[in-house]
Amino acid sequence: MASRSLTTTAFLLTLNLLFFTLVSSTSCPPPPKAPKPHKHHHQKATCPKDTLKLGVCANVLNDLVHLVVGTPAKTPCCSLLGDLVDLEAAVCLCTAIKANVLGINLNVPVSLSLLLNYCGKKVPKGFQCA
């Protein structure tokens, strides 16, 4: 009987060891970290060009608005805007229109869109000439 008791105890001890080894070796990964909120630092866009030079766009815009027969010359207006991204081009033209550098009274959103499109640029989504 003593050997049977010893065998049972050894079996239970082995089973216990095996159980705790399996339980302790399986670790749960830590919970995922909460994503940090993105801080958007909106920088005010500026015009890298001399706004006074954009006065050359007045002739192009005048021809576009008054439906002059033929195609208005894209240079020098569009060449001034050519190396700018859409936002910079929009800011430059917006500044020129607001400062009345072009010398004509304009409907700002229409004029801006017309000139940008003519020069192969787009009005950035949500952009307002203010």
Side-chain angles (χ1 to χ4, degrees), residues 61-76:
L61 187 59
N62 194 34
D63 290 349
L64 288 171
V65 170
H66 294 103
L67 300 173
V68 172
V69 177
T71 306
K74 287 191 174 191
T75 56

Side-chain angles (χ1 to χ4, degrees), residues 51-119:
T51 308
L52 293 176
K53 289 182 181 179
L54 293 173
V56 297
C57 295
N59 293 338
V60 174
L61 187 59
N62 194 34
D63 290 349
L64 288 171
V65 170
H66 294 103
L67 300 173
V68 172
V69 177
T71 306
K74 287 191 174 191
T75 56
C77 179
C78 294
S79 61
L80 282 171
L81 303 174
D83 61 337
L84 302 178
V85 295
D86 290 348
L87 179 60
E88 290 173 330
V91 170
C92 287
L93 286 175
C94 177
T95 305
I97 291 169
K98 287 188 337 188
N100 202 18
V101 171
L102 304 181
I104 45 181
N105 292 328
L106 304 165
N107 177 324
V108 175
V110 172
S111 301
L112 182 66
S113 179
L114 204 60
L115 268 174
L116 286 172
N117 288 337
Y118 186 71
C119 292

